[in-house]
Amino acid sequence: MRSIKKIAGRLLLIFIVLWLFDTSVEFLYRPYNRYSPYAIRELKECQGSIDTLFLGTSTAYRGFSPDVFDRELGTFSFNAATASQPAQGTLALLKDEAERNPIKRVFLGVSPRMLVKEEAHIERKTEVYDRLLSLKGKLFYLAEGCTSEEWLNLIFYSVRVDKYFDIGKIKKNLSYKLSDAYRKNRAPMETYKGKGFLAGKEVYQGQEYETIAKRESAWKADDENQQALIEIMEYCKEHEIELILVFVPVSGAEIDGYKDLGVIHDYFREMADRHSAIFWDFNYYKGLKEEFPNSMFQDKRHLNEAGGHAFTQLIAEVYEKYKGGEGIEEYFLDTCPYYENLIDE
């Protein structure tokens, strides 16, 4: 019995030493000029209050402004989307936040890229893992969304550090992290607007499309990612959380790259219908070309600050009418406006 207690005590001591070392390394080496640490700290501060959750990939974290949405509808929302967020990671974040907050509605930004077969880079998985605030949430994601080879990289920040003797980087980090601005969780970059919303002022300079010709599309959802999407929809149904799948507006250049947006649109519409969710495709929005030209994008796929604000105001308007029992059919066409002229001919 004594030997067991002695071993347990030593293991606890080892754990404490490892934790102190890892925490110190994270403070010294985690870049002060990236938005994630500020979003995570803010997410922790908001626990217990969030009733509206935005999830998805980079099109979502640049498309949904919680401040604008809350101002329009009186909600308390947070944007927990991350770059190339794995579908299994979305499920983990949904469960983690739903157990800690009175979540009433979830807006999930969907796109063809979120469901294609592609091995998620470890950095994309760590962005999800770091936002999971409960031990239960972290353990679920380690077991269901990651391989055992990735566990150390996710659990210990010290494993993620490439250069331990980058004195210049340490000095820059300490200079800001010891400042009053850091203590008040003020991010040094202008692109972070708070509550998980990231927005730049750059304007996309690519080709402005008037019409787009459809071509044969070979797009197909990956089975594993599709199963995660189904689990997300079923979880929301089981817990009486309103789930709206949202295809955030993209530029004409991005739509042209899809070859046939209708294939993707029909897939998400059918999945939503099958699992009692809602699907709104804002690339079928009747004012897409006029209200979301290139000037509203920072690149062909992502909205800029002006575009993100405009889109959030639009979706808040549509949602308010929808909840008020008014028809929202007037907002959408039967096809993407970029295809409309070709079909009319």
Side-chain angles (χ1 to χ4, degrees):
M1 190 69 175
R2 285 182 182 178
S3 60
I4 293 175
K5 287 183 179 180
K6 186 180 292 185
I7 292 171
R10 288 175 179 175
L11 288 174
L12 179 61
L13 181 61
I14 291 171
F15 174 80
I16 292 172
V17 170
L18 283 174
W19 180 81
L20 287 173
F21 172 74
D22 197 66
T23 302
S24 300
V25 169
E26 183 173 2
F27 185 78
L28 291 172
Y29 288 91
R30 185 187 282 275
Y32 74 94
N33 55 355
R34 294 184 183 175
Y35 91 99
S36 282
Y38 304 94
I40 293 167
R41 290 168 73 184
E42 201 171 2
L43 181 60
K44 291 177 181 178
E45 293 170 0
C46 292
Q47 290 303 291
S49 302
I50 301 169
D51 57 36
T52 303
L53 191 64
F54 301 110
L55 293 169
T57 61
S58 55
T59 56
Y61 74 60
R62 293 185 183 275
F64 299 111
S65 168
D67 285 344
V68 172
F69 194 86
D70 295 346
R71 185 176 66 241
E72 296 293 324
L73 298 179
T75 52
F76 193 107
S77 63
F78 200 95
N79 193 328
T82 58
S84 300
Q85 189 172 96
Q88 194 68 42
T90 303
L91 176 62
L93 284 167
L94 168 63
K95 289 183 174 182
D96 200 47
E97 289 303 310
E99 291 189 4
R100 301 165 65 88
N101 294 281
I103 304 292
K104 297 177 181 177
R105 64 195 68 84
V106 170
F107 292 87
L108 173 58
V110 297
S111 70
R113 282 180 171 79
M114 74 173 287
L115 293 182
V116 295
K117 186 173 180 57
E118 185 178 65
E119 190 63 36
H121 193 278
I122 187 63
E123 287 185 5
R124 304 315 182 196
K125 292 186 176 184
T126 58
E127 286 187 27
V128 171
Y129 181 84
D130 290 347
R131 282 167 174 74
L132 296 168
L133 303 183
S134 71
L135 177 60
K136 180 181 178 181
K138 289 181 181 294
L139 290 175
F140 169 81
Y141 189 49
L142 288 173
E144 300 295 331
C146 309
T147 64
S148 57
E149 291 80 8
E150 296 170 326
W151 288 357
L152 282 179
N153 203 296
L154 293 169
I155 296 170
F156 297 108
Y157 188 88
S158 53
V159 179
R160 307 178 198 173
V161 177
D162 293 325
K163 298 179 180 178
Y164 265 92
F165 300 101
D166 191 342
I167 305 302
K169 183 176 182 179
I170 294 174
K171 285 182 177 179
K172 287 180 180 179
N173 276 334
L174 284 177
S175 177
Y176 193 80
K177 289 183 177 181
L178 295 176
S179 70
D180 189 55
Y182 185 77
R183 283 191 291 271
K184 293 180 179 178
N185 203 39
R186 288 205 298 265
M189 69 290 292
E190 293 183 1
T191 52
Y192 183 59
K193 306 301 179 181
K195 297 178 83 172
F197 178 51
L198 201 68
K201 295 185 182 297
E202 300 93 337
V203 173
Y204 177 50
Q205 300 298 326
Q207 178 183 346
E208 195 83 68
Y209 286 73
E210 184 58 35
T211 58
I212 294 172
K214 288 185 179 182
R215 283 131 34 224
E216 185 176 354
S217 172
W219 182 84
K220 185 180 182 297
D222 169 62
D223 290 342
E224 187 176 334
N225 288 326
Q226 177 176 277
Q227 182 57 38
L229 176 61
I230 291 172
E231 289 182 37
I232 289 167
M233 293 188 286
E234 290 299 316
Y235 180 89
C236 287
K237 182 166 64 174
E238 181 183 345
H239 292 81
E240 299 183 339
I241 297 171
E242 185 176 43
L243 175 64
I244 301 177
L245 309 183
V246 180
F247 201 157
V248 177
V250 295
S251 72
E254 179 72 1
I255 291 173
D256 184 48
Y258 296 155
K259 297 183 178 179
D260 186 353
L261 177 61
V263 172
I264 302 161
H265 172 94
D266 290 346
Y267 169 83
F268 283 114
R269 185 193 62 200
E270 290 167 9
M271 288 292 287
D273 289 345
R274 197 179 305 159
H275 297 278
S276 305
I278 303 162
F279 174 53
W280 292 342
D281 188 346
F282 283 89
N283 292 294
Y284 275 38
Y285 172 54
K286 68 177 182 180
L288 177 67
K289 291 197 293 185
E290 296 77 19
E291 297 176 34
F292 295 95
N294 283 357
S295 60
M296 289 294 195
F297 294 88
Q298 72 167 41
D299 56 43
K300 69 177 184 177
R301 191 178 307 134
H302 302 100
L303 294 165
N304 57 23
E305 183 176 8
H309 285 166
F311 174 63
T312 307
Q313 287 176 332
L314 173 61
I315 199 168
E317 177 185 319
V318 173
Y319 182 74
E320 187 172 34
K321 286 197 174 184
Y322 168 75
K323 295 302 289 183
E326 300 180 51
I328 60 172
E329 296 83 5
E330 63 183 274
Y331 288 95
F332 301 100
L333 300 173
D334 292 331
T335 187
C336 175
Y338 285 103
Y339 298 147
E340 189 178 24
N341 292 342
L342 296 177
I343 290 175
D344 289 344
E345 293 174 2

